[in-house]
Amino acid sequence: MSGTNNQCMQSRHNAHKPLRILCLHNAENQASYRYRVKLFLPTWHQYGIEMHPICIVGKNYKDKIILALKSKEYDYIWLQRKPLSQFLVNIIASRSKLIYDIDDALYTRQSGSAGKLKSSKPGSVKMIKRINHIIRKASLVFAGSNELALYASKYNQDAVRLIPTAFNAPENSCLSIPDKNHQLTIGWIGTNGNLPYLKLIDDATHEIQKHHCNILFSVMSGRPPEDLKTNWQFVPWSIDSEKHWLQSIDIGIMPLLDDEWSRGKCAFKLIQYMAYGKPVIASDVGANKTTVEHGRNGFLARSSENWSEYMNILILDEKIRSSMGQESKKIFFSSFERQIIQDTIADILFKYITNECPKTNS
């Protein structure tokens, strides 16, 4: 933020009682909660904001009604991802200012889903109706990607704000330069449900593995990938092991289908790789297009041939790997680092309440 905006934020802090926010959030083991809610909790007080998080998942309907009725005690109700019923949303929106925070295209089928969808699944008729109603009733919609923002704008254009998923900057000790003699590692990190995306590049990675005996393909997830020709090293995900793994890889990858679900994704894998100064290769889809500056911090691939070509370039040229990794780090710190995103959110929240300060350039 600029100096003017920082002064503006400070004046708000001094001139107003703290903003009180009740955050009704997704399950605590979900990445969307960790990086779009929990990440900010230790530092909201620095902005004159009190956030009270409550997990809404698993609560009975009576308890949800009680929470909805309490919404008048707060300046904002921050609904993170979970589509509540129209009745509950109407109660909340009539008593407080509703924020809807969305980081997946829940209005469409998840990649790979088949057959009739259950009412609780992304893309089901019930879920679509709930999401559209929440967007219409929201004072603010925090969309994690341009595609999600475009969708929400169809129902409540003035409320939509683009809020990328944030990530904490690694400590300096986590940014050490790997030994030149170490085995070069190409890495992918993600949930079990996203493992099938690796099949999209299996021909390319298999060819690389055949022709470069010194290349290690490493995957960090809840289980190993299946039915692939490529031999992947499996590293079980944990909060403690994630930092070491991100430090250890040399190139980060993010293959995606070009479908509506994938176009709504927030490119979070890329943000993680970039925070650790890694060059990246990603499918030319959705938020990947705005996160990767092709030829600067990595490459955008449109075909299996592209994937092979770009992996070969980064494997064979250490200088390109190094320079693109440095550019990744610069882009991360300018656009996705936790404080940058939290500054932007705080400015939006106070501006909506007070209209005291000019709109930021963020």
Side-chain angles (χ1 to χ4, degrees), residues 77-319:
I77 305 299
W78 183 314
L79 179 58
Q80 191 257 324
R81 185 182 172 95
K82 186 73 174 175
L84 294 180
S85 70
Q86 294 185 20
F87 176 68
L88 293 172
V89 169
N90 289 342
I91 293 175
I92 292 170
S94 68
R95 286 165 170 76
S96 185
K97 296 174 180 63
L98 173 63
I99 300 168
Y100 187 46
D101 179 41
I102 184 170
D103 68 333
D104 263 324
L106 301 177
Y107 49 81
T108 191
R109 290 182 175 222
Q110 190 167 352
S111 294
S113 65
K116 187 176 181 180
L117 296 173
K118 295 180 180 179
S119 61
S120 61
K121 295 292 184 181
S124 65
V125 172
K126 180 179 178 180
M127 184 165 281
I128 292 171
K129 286 183 177 179
R130 284 190 172 190
I131 290 168
N132 294 350
H133 182 74
I134 294 169
I135 293 171
R136 289 188 183 100
K137 288 290 185 177
S139 296
L140 292 166
V141 177
F142 290 164
S145 69
N146 284 322
E147 192 72 18
L148 298 176
L150 286 172
Y151 179 87
S153 293
K154 295 188 293 184
Y155 302 97
N156 192 349
Q157 183 174 0
D158 292 339
V160 179
R161 306 291 188 275
L162 178 64
I163 304 294
T165 301
F167 193 62
N168 260 332
E171 299 174 359
N172 289 334
S173 61
C174 293
L175 295 175
S176 57
I177 299 173
D179 186 335
K180 292 182 180 181
N181 297 318
H182 86 303
Q183 187 175 30
L184 195 138
T185 302
I186 297 175
W188 180 94
I189 187 171
T191 63
N192 295 349
N194 289 329
L195 283 168
Y197 289 122
L198 292 176
K199 293 182 181 180
L200 301 175
I201 59 170
D202 193 36
D203 287 341
T205 53
H206 182 58
E207 285 300 309
I208 292 291
Q209 200 164 60
K210 285 198 305 183
H211 291 97
H212 297 278
C213 60
N214 64 323
I215 300 301
L216 174 67
F217 286 92
S218 181
V219 58
M220 172 166 272
S221 190
R223 60 174 174 80
E226 299 175 348
D227 302 322
L228 297 177
K229 294 179 289 185
T230 308
N231 180 30
W232 286 84
Q233 174 202 56
F234 169 60
V235 181
W237 180 88
S238 73
I239 292 176
D240 294 332
S241 62
E242 183 182 84
K243 292 180 181 179
H244 175 75
W245 185 88
L246 286 167
Q247 180 186 3
S248 71
I249 67 171
D250 298 278
I251 301 164
I253 62 173
M254 186 173 178
L256 285 178
L257 282 170
D258 190 3
D259 62 3
E260 196 172 12
W261 175 263
S262 297
R263 288 192 291 272
K265 285 184 172 293
C266 300
F268 186 61
K269 290 178 183 58
L270 299 179
I271 294 168
Q272 290 177 289
Y273 304 145
M274 290 160 57
Y276 281 77
K278 311 300 179 180
V280 295
I281 309 174
S283 295
D284 191 16
V285 174
N288 292 1
K289 295 182 177 182
T290 53
T291 307
V292 180
E293 295 187 24
H294 186 76
R296 179 186 170 192
N297 68 314
F299 298 106
L300 291 167
R302 297 182 178 180
S303 65
S304 182
E305 290 75 20
N306 282 166
W307 277 97
S308 295
E309 176 189 356
Y310 300 147
M311 282 190 287
N312 270 308
I313 290 172
L314 290 176
I315 288 167
L316 297 173
D317 198 318
E318 182 186 343
K319 289 184 178 179

Side-chain angles (χ1 to χ4, degrees), residues 13 18-21 44-51 346 349-350:
H13 177 86
L19 285 182
R20 300 187 75 242
I21 302 173
W44 273 131
H45 69 278
Q46 298 174 9
Y47 297 82
I49 293 173
E50 295 176 358
M51 180 176 278
L349 295 176
F350 278 107

